[in-house]
Amino acid sequence: MKAMHQVISVTEASRNFSDVINRVYYQGHTYLLTRGGVVVAQLTGSNKTLSAKELLNRWKDRPRLDPDDAANWEQDLADMRAAFTMPEETPWDS
């Protein structure tokens, strides 16, 4: 079952909610919902499973930090760890 994408307004989706849900569930449709011409949500089936090939492709194409962003993140993490001190006693200690 191949997913089909259709762009509809939030108003149209609400007016035809039952039909939209049936198309998502039974036909594998995916709807991009717009408000004022801007996509604000995606409606897709929850029972969609990925094949191993699809999962590997998504893993390969996942977003990654560039080296500068990764270094900045690592420094931010080190700074936060250095600034954080655990209290010696908490109300939950027993």
Side-chain angles (χ1 to χ4, degrees):
M1 182 177 349
K2 188 173 183 173
M4 298 166 39
H5 293 58
Q6 185 175 350
V7 178
I8 61 173
S9 70
V10 172
T11 303
E12 183 181 348
S14 67
R15 287 183 181 150
N16 302 295
F17 190 70
S18 181
D19 183 52
V20 169
I21 294 299
N22 284 336
R23 288 175 189 245
V24 168
Y25 183 75
Y26 294 111
Q27 298 175 4
H29 285 229
T30 297
Y31 287 92
L32 300 177
L33 306 178
T34 62
R35 176 172 281 155
V38 177
V39 174
V40 295
Q42 177 175 318
L43 182 60
T44 188
S46 64
N47 62 349
K48 184 177 180 182
T49 57
L50 297 176
S51 69
K53 183 177 179 179
E54 289 172 316
L55 185 59
L56 288 173
N57 284 338
R58 287 189 182 191
W59 179 257
K60 181 180 66 176
D61 297 336
R62 72 190 182 281
R64 297 192 176 122
L65 292 175
D66 66 38
D68 289 336
D69 287 338
N72 290 338
W73 179 84
E74 187 175 19
Q75 185 60 52
D76 288 346
L77 183 60
D79 292 345
M80 288 173 39
R81 285 182 173 158
F84 182 77
T85 55
M86 289 291 292
E88 291 191 24
E89 244 181 72
T90 67
W92 301 281
D93 289 338
S94 54

